[in-house]
Amino acid sequence: MPRPSHSATAAVTAFKDVIQRHIRYSLAKPPRDLSGSEWFRAVALAVRDLLVDRMLETEARYEHADAKRLYYLSLEFLMGRALGNNLNNLGITNLCRAAADEMGINLEAVRGTEGDAALGNGGLGRLAACFLDSLATLGMPGYGYGIRYDYGLFRQEIDNGYQREKPDNWLAEPSPWLIERPGEACAVPVYGAVSGGANAHDHARGVWTNWRIIVGVPHDMPVVGYGGHTVNFLRLYSARASDEFDIAIFNDGDYVRAVEQKLTSENISKLLYPSDAVAAGRELRLLQEYFFVACGLRDIVQRYLRRHTAITELPSKVAIQLNDTHPALAVPELMRILIDEHSVPWEAAWEVTQATFGYTNHTLLPEGLEMWPVALLERVIPRHLQLLYEINRRLLDHVVQVSPGDTERLRRVSLIEEGAERQVRMAHVAIAGSHSVNGVAALHTELVKTRLVPDFFALWPERFNNKTNGVTQRRWLLSANPALAQLITEAIGDGWVTDLEQLRRVEPHARDAAFRHDFLKVKQANKEHLAAVIKATAHETVDPHSLFDVQAKRIHEYKRQLLAVMGIVDTYLALVEDGVVPLVPRTHVFAGKAAPGYRVAKQIIKLIHNVGAVVNSDPIAREHVRVVFVPDYRVTLAEQIIPGADLSEQISTAGTEASGTGNMKFAMNGALTIGTLDGANIEILAEVGAPNIFIFGLTAEAIDTMRRDGTYHPRDYYERDPRLRRVVDALYSDRFCPHEPGLFREIAAALLERDDYFHLADFAAYVAAQERVGREFTNHKAWARKAILNVARMGKFSSDRTIREYATEIWGIRGI
């Protein structure tokens, strides 16, 4: 083994010295007394020193170039653990490991003590994190803006098969990555009243009075690009009361109410997605969304004005992307700033607003398209409601001009949905206030234009465009699957880390027996690691040589975990009643959280556990089929599950999944996909080729036709298919709930009566596709070839490609 150079040794010594300095002066402890989490903190602070230096250098570079900047507004940023990612992107993993070794600590053990940053829920937040990584890697001035939640969504525990939600107090120990900026705090007005009406003469110049102030304190999390040249940041706001107490209340002698008001203000940043099932929770959620966009916009405008004087030129230096409808209140907030604070005439203010904003739609589901009661907006942000009315008046005037007499189009386009409770349609607000509206997969974008908002597409076809999602290969391959990353690099070099299209050069190696052998060796090691994770978390012993069939994602009816369970029940009943032995042993791995108030999704989790309990304890079945549910799905767990998967379940009802990013991560790590023609599955099919993916089921067009015409009758499928009938009858019976009779009858009845997501219609096709999976898995040579081709053909699905498209076609920013 070659001896390390003098310079390398000096670098290790210098880094070790920085760690020791933080142990002494930041932790104020001798090394012998440090716990594992304290060792993590000391190492993280040493790494943060490097990040801060480069963050300041990056900012100076942007300032010198007077660069246009992108601000990405998102209610979620699912960042995961940061230490390993930062070490990789800085290129100092080996240096840090050597320093740790000299200090007698294990770097991997230190990394393992870091908790996930609980700043998101699922795909929306993880996509935002991937985008920040790509922006920094590409050297582009791009920043995230969101909320620094005290508690994440929740920590999932399983009690007798039921999901129990526990607090996810990720900040129980202060994060070493967050840099608090109290000197840049901003004031956010809420409540109060507006005097002065909106009309064509005063251009909605109302006066907002008697408001209450909430203070937003920013915390910056450095985001380093690969190679360490660029360090941007994610700015997260925490809410604080404007004063220690409301002095008027305090002076009246009501100390308790003064304290309660302070605590109520600070609740805004306590929890991701407070329940909107009750009025107080709904109001808190509205406050949350307004709070973070108000803080963000004030900061963005102030940054611009430090160097520029013409507020109407804002779009030349600022682009703001709305990640779904959660930040849509940014549209009236920017109008308020321009009109009320800078006296910009309405027409000019609206032109600036539209030129500044872009909107990304992430869902076709009605429940995902936010609407806020007019009465609630009037109470919480009355000035913004006034502005929304004026925006709507002008929008409807435009519709009348282009479609005179079409009252139905007026109703469909209006920002206000009329009904028993009048509501503001936030997707319409985002579309009206933006110059760009994009979907996140080719099919999704087409459905946005033709099914979701066809009237807006008819008004402004030039605004609509597609930006297929991507994921960062730095985290989801280089970091999450280092053995596969090393195998790829040995074959084609490391250029793929920043140019994923280079994976195409792996394709010829799919025919190489030695490469296939090494590939399968890597996969087997990952499966053995996953089996250990399953044992430690789900307390089930599984065979790492079985086919690992994985469905890991948020639990939702449209994602159809239930269809996968129905397939398992079919396999189980065929085995124990008909003696039909599966071609290969299979371990079904589920992971994901159900929203606390989503009763059906929580019942599906219970069903998975109950089916698993029966199957796993059956002496006939257990050698052939295993079912496990890995609790508390999060980024760190995904990084351990995804590399070990053989089969990736992407089986949503066609026309419901916007894109998906898990489908990309699994395929990038050598899992074959079983999926519907939905979201980005369609584009993955086009890239990997039909022989290397298992596609089944109805198309979005067929489903849309059946829904529209009322021709879908699920009971007909039940009557015609004996296998399906046996499965549904088993769910209706107490076979999987002997101790809780009737537990799953509601699920079975819903399938027969409504089946909103076409489980019964797709059942036979799903079962046939799974039988094909089993046949093909028996041929290890052919399976390995298909898996390698999946990896090799994933180049399109890098978030680097997605960001380049956004930067060129929407934002107008470039690498500096």
Side-chain angles (χ1 to χ4, degrees):
M1 179 181 294
R3 297 178 61 185
S5 68
H6 175 72
S7 60
T9 302
V12 170
T13 300
F15 192 72
K16 186 173 67 173
D17 289 344
V18 177
I19 295 173
Q20 290 171 330
R21 177 170 57 82
H22 278 294
I23 291 171
R24 185 172 184 86
Y25 296 109
S26 300
L27 277 64
K29 279 190 170 184
R32 66 175 181 274
D33 293 343
L34 296 189
S35 65
S37 61
E38 287 170 330
W39 273 111
F40 156 71
R41 185 169 181 80
V43 173
L45 288 170
V47 174
R48 195 182 87 167
D49 288 353
L50 295 175
L51 295 176
V52 168
D53 285 341
R54 299 187 190 194
M55 185 169 69
L56 295 174
E57 292 166 5
T58 298
E59 186 61 23
R61 193 166 73 244
Y62 294 161
E63 282 289 324
H64 179 74
D66 192 19
K68 183 175 183 180
R69 302 172 190 239
L70 173 276
Y71 301 95
Y72 197 80
L73 303 189
S74 178
L75 206 55
E76 297 185 39
F77 289 93
L78 203 56
M79 305 299 287
R81 291 174 173 172
L83 178 56
N85 192 69
N86 288 337
L87 291 174
N88 277 344
N89 280 6
L90 286 168
I92 61 169
T93 301
N94 290 336
L95 182 151
C96 187
R97 182 174 289 112
D101 288 345
E102 288 190 12
M103 300 177 76
I105 58 172
N106 181 286
L107 180 60
E108 295 310 309
V110 167
R111 287 178 57 184
T113 65
E114 181 179 6
D116 284 44
L119 298 167
N121 173 25
L124 184 82
R126 188 51 235 171
L127 178 74
C130 285
F131 280 4
L132 295 185
D133 176 275
S134 287
L135 282 162
T137 296
L138 296 171
M140 293 181 177
Y143 311 86
Y145 276 69
I147 294 177
R148 194 212 69 161
Y149 303 102
D150 292 349
Y151 297 88
L153 184 69
F154 59 84
R155 180 167 48 83
Q156 182 191 55
E157 293 184 358
I158 302 298
D159 178 10
N160 189 31
Y162 289 98
Q163 172 179 291
R164 305 298 186 205
E165 299 92 23
K166 301 293 182 181
D168 186 3
N169 188 10
W170 75 289
L171 291 173
E173 296 184 14
S175 169
W177 308 115
L178 290 175
I179 304 166
E180 187 172 1
R181 308 280 197 185
E184 298 181 40
C186 63
V188 176
V190 292
Y191 302 112
V194 176
S195 60
N199 58 58
H201 301 292
D202 65 13
H203 302 297
R205 290 188 186 279
V207 178
W208 189 4
T209 60
N210 296 323
W211 26 254
R212 204 174 92 207
I213 289 294
I214 298 168
V215 175
V217 179
H219 303 254
D220 292 345
M221 179 181 289
V223 178
V224 57
Y226 188 74
H229 177 62
T230 296
V231 179
N232 295 325
F233 58 82
L234 165 61
R235 175 155 283 198
L236 303 167
Y237 285 90
S238 60
R240 298 288 182 268
S242 58
D243 296 299
E244 191 63 24
F245 301 110
D246 186 310
I247 296 300
I249 296 174
F250 186 80
N251 288 342
D252 286 341
D254 197 340
Y255 173 84
V256 172
R257 191 158 69 91
V259 174
E260 285 175 349
Q261 189 174 95
K262 171 180 165 61
L263 294 177
T264 299
S265 298
E266 297 181 358
N267 279 341
I268 290 172
S269 57
K270 285 290 182 190
L271 181 70
L272 171 66
Y273 295 145
S275 172
D276 57 5
V278 295
R282 202 172 194 184
E283 183 169 324
L284 179 58
R285 196 158 170 172
L286 175 63
L287 279 166
Q288 210 175 54
E289 294 188 5
Y290 166 61
F291 166 78
F292 104 89
V293 300
C295 290
L297 282 174
R298 182 158 298 280
D299 187 62
I300 291 165
V301 170
Q302 286 177 346
R303 284 174 178 273
Y304 169 80
L305 291 175
R306 286 175 199 160
R307 181 154 184 170
H308 308 89
T309 56
I311 190 67
T312 53
E313 297 299 315
L314 183 74
S316 68
K317 296 298 178 183
V318 169
I320 302 175
Q321 192 70 22
L322 307 176
N323 192 29
D324 219 353
T325 56
H326 308 127
L329 287 169
V331 171
E333 172 63 6
L334 183 55
M335 287 294 288
R336 187 194 68 79
I337 291 171
L338 293 170
I339 293 171
D340 293 359
E341 299 181 12
H342 294 275
S343 301
V344 178
W346 180 279
E347 290 79 4
W350 188 236
E351 185 177 333
V352 169
T353 297
Q354 289 182 311
T356 300
F357 286 118
Y359 163 56
T360 300
N361 174 275
H362 282 280
T363 184
L364 299 164
L365 299 179
E367 64 265 31
L369 297 171
E370 287 188 309
M371 293 194 291
W372 290 110
V374 165
L376 182 59
L377 289 173
E378 188 170 31
R379 166 174 154 74
V380 176
I381 42 175
R383 177 62 175 138
H384 297 73
L385 179 63
Q386 187 183 52
L387 292 167
L388 287 168
Y389 277 146
E390 180 68 5
I391 293 168
N392 195 45
R393 183 184 70 79
R394 291 165 183 258
L395 170 63
L396 296 184
D397 284 349
H398 177 66
V399 175
V400 168
Q401 291 174 16
V402 298
S403 302
D406 193 342
T407 56
E408 278 302 298
R409 172 167 284 191
L410 284 173
R411 180 186 61 78
R412 292 192 302 266
V413 168
S414 176
L415 305 188
I416 312 297
E417 181 173 270
E418 304 293 342
E421 182 181 50
R422 300 175 75 230
Q423 300 192 90
V424 177
R425 298 159 161 164
M426 300 314 295
H428 290 202
V429 173
I431 293 168
S434 300
H435 69 278
S436 168
V437 179
N438 73 278
V440 290
L443 173 64
H444 172 236
T445 298
E446 193 59 30
L447 293 175
V448 167
K449 294 189 291 189
T450 59
R451 183 202 296 176
L452 188 67
V453 288
D455 294 295
F456 281 106
F457 178 60
L459 281 176
W460 303 306
E462 71 284 354
R463 293 189 191 181
F464 288 77
N465 59 93
N466 179 60
K467 298 290 174 283
T468 296
N469 284 342
V471 301
T472 169
Q473 64 269 30
R474 268 80 59 182
R475 182 179 284 268
W476 293 107
L477 183 50
L478 180 66
S479 180
N481 200 344
L484 179 57
Q486 182 178 349
L487 182 65
I488 293 169
T489 296
E490 288 171 354
I492 65 168
D494 65 358
W496 62 271
V497 178
T498 53
D499 178 11
L500 199 61
E501 289 289 356
Q502 291 193 30
L503 285 182
R504 282 281 179 181
R505 294 166 53 203
V506 172
E507 199 166 316
H509 294 273
R511 298 189 296 270
D512 182 343
F515 188 88
R516 288 197 305 269
H517 173 270
D518 290 342
F519 180 87
L520 289 175
K521 185 178 178 181
V522 168
K523 177 63 74 174
Q524 188 58 38
N526 289 333
K527 291 172 68 175
E528 288 169 3
H529 175 71
L530 177 53
V533 170
I534 290 169
K535 179 66 175 175
T537 57
H539 312 295
E540 289 284 350
T541 301
V542 299
D543 178 8
H545 295 281
S546 64
L547 189 161
F548 276 18
D549 181 334
V550 181
Q551 191 173 20
K553 54 180 74 244
R554 182 164 51 94
I555 310 296
H556 198 292
E557 289 170 277
Y558 87 82
K559 294 180 183 287
R560 296 204 298 193
Q561 285 89 357
L562 178 56
L563 180 59
V565 175
M566 292 167 66
I568 295 167
V569 172
D570 175 70
T571 300
Y572 172 69
L573 295 177
L575 175 58
V576 298
E577 294 185 0
D578 306 333
V580 178
V581 178
L583 284 173
V584 294
R586 194 181 299 226
T587 298
H588 296 271
V589 181
F590 293 89
K593 296 178 180 180
Y598 192 172
R599 190 173 56 82
V600 175
K602 296 173 86 167
Q603 277 291 94
I604 291 171
I605 291 176
K606 174 62 173 171
L607 177 62
I608 293 169
H609 282 89
N610 279 30
V611 169
V614 171
V615 171
N616 297 348
S617 62
D618 190 310
I620 298 174
R622 61 181 299 149
E623 298 306 313
H624 304 284
V625 186
R626 285 295 180 101
V627 182
V628 297
F629 187 97
V630 184
D632 203 28
Y633 190 56
R634 58 200 187 279
V635 173
T636 296
L637 194 56
E639 291 171 329
Q640 299 176 80
I641 291 175
I642 289 171
D646 292 309
L647 185 70
S648 163
E649 298 254 3
Q650 308 295 333
I651 60 175
S652 54
T653 310
T656 59
E657 184 72 82
S659 167
T661 52
N663 46 7
M664 304 168 189
K665 296 164 191 169
F666 279 101
M668 191 180 289
N669 281 272
L672 272 61
T673 301
I674 182 169
T676 51
L677 288 169
D678 197 26
N681 289 355
I682 297 169
E683 289 157 87
I684 292 175
L685 165 64
E687 293 297 310
V688 305
N692 305 307
I693 191 171
F694 303 96
I695 295 295
F696 73 94
L698 295 168
T699 64
E701 293 78 10
I703 287 174
D704 195 40
T705 298
M706 294 167 76
R707 279 189 172 133
R708 186 177 59 250
D709 298 345
T711 55
Y712 178 50
H713 305 293
R715 190 172 287 273
D716 292 347
Y717 290 83
Y718 169 84
E719 297 292 350
R720 288 197 300 261
D721 186 343
R723 289 176 70 175
L724 173 59
R725 186 162 61 251
R726 180 165 66 172
V727 169
V728 175
D729 288 349
L731 297 181
Y732 201 89
S733 75
D734 297 332
R735 184 163 196 158
F736 297 109
C737 53
H739 305 297
E740 298 175 271
L743 185 60
F744 303 121
R745 287 178 193 169
E746 183 181 357
I747 290 176
L751 287 173
L752 290 174
E753 293 165 10
R754 302 188 313 276
D755 192 19
D756 295 329
Y757 296 102
F758 291 73
H759 296 77
L760 304 196
D762 274 348
F763 174 79
Y766 176 68
V767 168
Q770 284 286 22
E771 289 171 351
R772 181 182 156 211
V773 168
R775 287 194 301 272
E776 299 206 12
F777 193 74
T778 60
N779 185 337
H780 294 301
K781 175 182 175 180
W783 187 276
R785 179 180 174 277
K786 291 172 184 289
I788 292 166
L789 290 176
N790 267 263
V791 175
R793 294 171 178 175
M794 280 294 107
K796 173 180 178 177
F797 301 103
S798 170
S799 50
D800 297 348
R801 185 267 314 153
T802 312
I803 288 298
R804 285 191 184 98
E805 292 179 2
Y806 273 103
T808 302
E809 300 169 23
I810 298 176
W811 301 333
I813 65 170
R814 60 183 179 85
I816 302 296

